[in-house]
Amino acid sequence: MNKIALGVTSSISIFKAADIIRLFQKEDLTVQVIMTDRATNFIQPEFFTALSGQPTIVKLFDQKKHPIEHITLAAEISLLLIAPATANIIAKLASGLADDFLSTFYLAVKSPVLIAPAMNEAMFLHPQTQANIKKLRDLGVAFVEPESGYLACGQQGSGRLASPEKIVQISLRLIRQQPVFKDKLIVVTAGPTREALDPIRFLSNRSSGKMGYELAREAYERGAEVVLISGPVELPPPAGIKVEKVISAEDMRQAVLKYYDRASVVIMSAAVSDFKFSQTSQEKIKKEDLPSAIKLDRTPDILEELGRLKRGQLLVGFAAETSEPKVRAQEKMKRKKLDLMVVNDVSRHDIGFESDDNEVYLLWPDGRERLIGKTSKKKVSREILTEIGAMVNGRKGNN
Ligand code: PMT
């Protein structure tokens, strides 16, 4: 089912519902907005009708529509999200009161329910509100914790509606989680590493982290526990995912090894620098002191080490190639004992480094291969995670 019901109640943060709708639409999901009567004091229903392309529901019995719309709609949705949710709607749902469309609809819904509260800090922390939240949690309702910050009442504190990105990310996980990823730790590496010469100069590469961040998001949405080990990139940390920031190849190696025993899958999409400076300086090296040649050493090959230490983990590598991509990638896959190799041609400017798109070959040790034609890194990640899910299910490993 590709429909989400979005309940909108009377909070000053109601405007953020517009971003939530847009983010769902980017995921090809249809949004049916349900407003409480009081929410219409802030925004007219027509605003959400125009944004969502679906007539906004406010009244319980609308003569122009199906007389028991709350029942028919309940069967069509994959999630009921209420964002922003006031203390009043939380109290109503906790006590089973059904005196308008949204509260009646809640009782008819069989799909997951997610609530994103937004209110003044004292109201949020009030024992009554907390008791209502606990009651709903015990009934299986999920919550997105509100954030701390500046509140509409002029105070600082907890109670601010979580970001639309976070709310949508958690929603997608509720809809898309798959049993195969439950209780599985997936470690994803992303971005470049930097090898310092002195405090201001370093050796690195053009990796933006986009490929790895999309892979981490996709793994999270499918229900895995995800640790994202990221080199220095400009991207915001994805919601719900533990991010370990690292700088050098050695930092990345240590971070990956920390989680390796517990990991079911490791996806090494980071562009780890192959070289580091033999000697580094704590002070900025003066121009006149720079030697004409600087000696380089090899960095540790993290993936090769993971291949040697492998005990049941599924290892996925990436190969960044500029010529004979498949031949070189096959050699790396064998040497590093990988279960899946993802090959991209980084001589192209429309895919690979920095681009929002990629085109990759998937190679397996048994000789199977598959081309994922040029598409967004998000869709490439989706395909890769589908293949990983099938491999985890079938336990087809290269141990
Ligand atoms: O970050 P983006 O801008 O989105 O770009 C994505 C990408 C091009 C960086 C990504 O798709 C990609 O190709 N990542 C792997 C880059 C790379 O380092 O490839 P490689 O062929 O040099 O290495 C092969 C594998 O060994 C990789 O999985 C790499 O992470 C790993 N490796 C490499 C060197 C090293 N010292 N340790 C390693 O673990």
Side-chain angles (χ1 to χ4, degrees):
M1 275 180 288
N2 285 331
K3 196 184 258 188
I4 306 281
L6 173 62
V8 173
T9 68
S10 60
S11 155
I12 194 77
S13 58
I14 191 168
F15 66 96
K16 290 191 190 169
D19 285 336
I20 293 174
I21 294 172
R22 188 180 51 80
L23 290 170
F24 277 135
Q25 287 170 335
K26 274 173 81 177
E27 297 288 330
D28 298 326
L29 291 162
T30 302
V31 182
Q32 171 63 62
V33 178
I34 302 164
M35 294 178 81
T36 56
D37 212 14
R38 270 198 245 156
T40 63
N41 293 333
F42 285 97
I43 289 182
Q44 293 292 309
E46 288 75 15
F47 173 77
F48 289 122
T49 300
L51 272 184
S52 67
Q54 307 290 317
T56 302
I57 301 172
V58 183
K59 301 246 174 294
L60 187 52
F61 295 109
D62 185 335
Q63 295 309 316
K64 284 178 266 159
K65 297 214 184 116
H66 193 291
I68 46 168
E69 198 183 10
H70 54 287
I71 305 293
T72 50
L73 181 61
E76 290 170 9
I77 59 157
S78 46
L79 176 78
L80 166 60
L81 164 68
I82 306 182
T86 57
N88 184 54
I89 191 75
I90 291 170
K92 269 165 74 168
L93 302 188
S95 61
L97 233 156
D99 65 350
D100 63 1
F101 191 98
L102 185 55
S103 52
T104 310
F105 182 61
Y106 163 74
L107 292 178
V109 162
K110 290 206 175 82
S111 53
V113 178
L114 178 64
I115 295 181
M119 65 197 77
N120 161 275
E121 183 178 46
M123 291 169 72
F124 179 66
L125 295 178
H126 193 286
Q128 185 61 67
T129 306
Q130 289 300 314
N132 292 336
I133 290 174
K134 181 173 183 312
K135 197 166 174 191
L136 287 168
R137 276 193 202 275
D138 290 346
L139 292 170
V141 173
F143 278 81
V144 188
E145 285 295 314
E147 292 171 357
S148 281
Y150 179 78
L151 302 169
C153 53
Q155 296 171 4
Q156 292 279 334
S158 167
R160 213 164 75 151
L161 184 69
S163 73
E165 289 75 17
K166 186 171 181 183
I167 293 170
V168 170
Q169 187 85 54
I170 293 172
S171 302
L172 294 176
R173 182 174 165 101
L174 282 173
I175 304 170
R176 295 183 177 159
Q177 56 193 326
Q178 298 171 337
V180 63
F181 291 107
K182 193 171 180 288
D183 301 326
K184 299 271 186 325
L185 172 64
I186 300 191
V187 175
V188 181
T189 66
T193 62
R194 280 183 190 168
E195 311 304 324
L197 174 63
D198 66 15
I200 47 169
R201 303 178 181 104
F202 55 80
L203 197 63
S204 193
N205 59 63
R206 287 171 37 223
S207 172
S208 64
K210 288 178 185 171
M211 189 70 243
Y213 275 54
E214 287 299 351
L215 286 160
R217 256 189 219 107
E218 190 62 33
Y220 174 79
E221 283 172 18
R222 289 180 189 232
E225 176 192 353
V226 180
V227 174
L228 173 60
I229 297 169
S230 173
V233 297
E234 299 295 317
L235 304 172
I241 294 174
K242 179 167 183 177
V243 182
E244 292 250 2
K245 285 276 195 180
V246 297
I247 307 281
S248 67
E250 181 54 35
D251 296 343
M252 186 169 276
R253 171 181 170 269
Q254 286 181 22
V256 175
L257 288 177
K258 193 166 90 186
Y259 294 99
Y260 194 44
D261 277 351
R262 210 162 59 77
S264 299
V265 182
V266 178
I267 310 176
M268 284 288 299
S269 72
V272 185
S273 178
D274 286 315
F275 306 102
K276 63 179 180 181
F277 296 101
S278 297
Q279 287 192 326
T280 60
S281 166
Q282 300 296 332
E283 301 283 327
K284 180 186 171 190
I285 301 172
K286 292 198 193 92
K287 237 190 285 183
E288 51 277 22
D289 293 342
L290 265 185
S292 55
I294 301 180
K295 197 167 167 288
L296 297 176
D297 288 336
R298 294 296 303 265
T299 54
D301 193 316
I302 305 169
L303 200 46
E304 201 168 322
E305 187 173 349
L306 298 184
R308 280 197 303 272
L309 298 174
K310 188 150 85 156
R311 257 190 244 108
Q313 296 92 337
L314 221 115
L315 278 189
V316 181
F318 270 69
E321 307 296 347
T322 53
S323 63
E324 294 188 293
K326 283 200 262 177
V327 178
R328 288 168 187 264
Q330 296 273 12
E331 183 281 315
K332 288 180 187 171
M333 175 165 60
K334 216 169 172 181
R335 178 161 45 90
K336 304 189 185 199
K337 289 186 78 183
L338 307 185
D339 301 287
L340 174 63
M341 182 56 122
V342 184
V343 198
N344 41 201
D345 180 347
V346 289
S347 63
R348 281 171 61 178
H349 291 289
D350 60 332
I351 58 163
F353 282 114
E354 293 166 313
S355 167
D356 287 339
D357 297 328
N358 213 351
E359 178 176 300
V360 301
Y361 268 101
L362 306 187
L363 306 180
W364 283 268
D366 62 6
R368 242 179 347 126
E369 61 175 66
R370 177 186 164 196
L371 171 69
I372 302 174
K374 185 181 163 187
T375 183
S376 65
K377 283 181 176 167
K378 185 186 215 23
K379 291 202 172 125
V380 170
S381 304
R382 207 168 276 176
E383 296 299 324
I384 292 173
L385 262 298
T386 298
E387 295 289 1
I388 291 174
M391 291 166 75
V392 173
N393 250 337
R395 289 206 183 84
K396 277 186 227 141
N398 178 20
N399 279 300

